[in-house]
Amino acid sequence: MLNIVESYIELKKNMATLINKSGYKNAYLAEQIGIPAPTFSVKKQRGNWTETEIQKILAIIENERLEDFFMLELMRSEKDEPRFPVSDLKKSLGW
């Protein structure tokens, strides 16, 4: 459960990067989600998106290339986390 929250925080923090990587113009995205372009620019700088705004933006810009980029960023952020072999999991679960 904690991983979900951490992933959401990471997504919210990286929205500006995802928007830049998407190739869409700020003005277009602002219009599509129904906020003024200057407000969109400020939100992009500060990262203070609402959940609804994040959903709307991702519905427009989401594609496989961006998903791969975000997954890579998540993996980089977790590179120092301990890793355990699947065999250890299977043992602990009795498989």
Side-chain angles (χ1 to χ4, degrees), residues 8-90:
Y8 171 73
I9 291 169
E10 195 68 27
L11 171 66
K12 195 170 183 177
K13 192 169 35 172
N14 286 299
M15 281 300 292
T17 304
L18 291 175
I19 291 167
N20 291 339
K21 293 280 184 189
S22 76
Y24 286 96
K25 302 264 187 215
N26 289 348
Y28 173 78
L29 291 172
E31 180 183 323
Q32 294 301 307
I33 68 169
I35 63 174
T39 303
F40 184 91
S41 293
V42 170
K43 285 181 172 278
K44 187 176 167 187
Q45 286 178 333
R46 294 184 181 161
N48 59 346
W49 304 102
T50 66
E51 287 78 15
T52 303
E53 291 166 342
I54 290 173
Q55 283 181 311
K56 288 178 180 180
I57 292 168
L58 289 177
I60 297 167
I61 70 171
E62 187 174 30
N63 63 41
E64 192 172 319
R65 188 181 67 154
L66 280 181
E67 286 181 22
D68 290 346
F69 172 78
F70 186 65
M71 186 59 70
L72 179 62
E73 290 300 309
L74 278 176
M75 290 169 58
R76 285 180 180 153
S77 71
E78 296 176 350
K79 69 179 179 182
D80 296 328
E81 295 291 319
R83 302 280 188 232
F84 304 100
V86 174
S87 60
D88 288 355
L89 174 65
K90 288 180 180 180

